[in-house]
């Protein structure tokens, strides 16, 4: 199955809805990126994430279009010990 287009994100990532995840991906410019946040909504190929800034505490939200990036890993952070979660 081609997971880079056609609204497959909803099928693939539904089990991660409302869970805190770490998402490693390569963007449109071949830059490696990492996001940590809670998947709050899945709309076609869009994964909506939100989290609080570690320094300011302010809430941020973003949408990652799975059709435009190459996801290499997405994992829940559930069960990681507290020292590990501080590093991400």
């Amino acid at each position: 199955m081609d997971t880079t287009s056609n609204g497959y994100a909803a099928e693939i990532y539904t089990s991660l809805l409302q869970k805190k995840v770490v998402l490693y991906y390569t963007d449109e410019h071949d830059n490696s990126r990492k996001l940590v946040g809670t998947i709050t909504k899945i709309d076609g190929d869009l994964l909506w994430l939100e989290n609080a800034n570690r320094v300011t505490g302010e809430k941020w939200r973003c949408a990652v279009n799975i059709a435009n990036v190459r996801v290499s890993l997405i994992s829940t952070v559930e069960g990681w010990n507290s020292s590990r979660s501080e590093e991400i």
Side-chain angles (χ1 to χ4, degrees):
M1 173 189 312
D2 178 9
T3 61
T4 60
S5 62
N6 303 321
Y8 288 129
E11 289 178 27
I12 296 168
Y13 301 117
T14 300
S15 65
L16 299 174
L17 195 57
Q18 301 305 320
K19 297 200 185 241
K20 188 171 185 179
V21 299
V22 60
L23 170 67
Y24 292 93
Y25 66 96
T26 305
D27 69 13
E28 299 94 336
H29 304 287
D30 267 348
N31 297 312
S32 295
R33 305 279 184 192
K34 176 177 90 170
L35 278 172
V36 178
T38 301
I39 298 176
T40 58
K41 182 179 176 182
I42 301 171
D43 184 17
D45 281 326
L46 294 178
L47 290 182
W48 289 89
L49 291 95
E50 65 181 44
N51 203 353
N53 181 292
R54 285 187 286 185
V55 176
T56 65
E58 292 183 63
K59 184 190 253 185
W60 59 261
R61 287 181 219 155
C62 72
V64 177
N65 189 334
I66 300 302
N68 294 338
V69 302
R70 194 170 59 246
V71 174
S72 57
L73 174 72
I74 185 166
S75 173
T76 64
V77 296
E78 221 170 56
W80 292 11
N81 64 34
S82 61
S83 63
R84 178 68 180 150
S85 65
E86 289 300 316
E87 295 174 17
I88 56 174

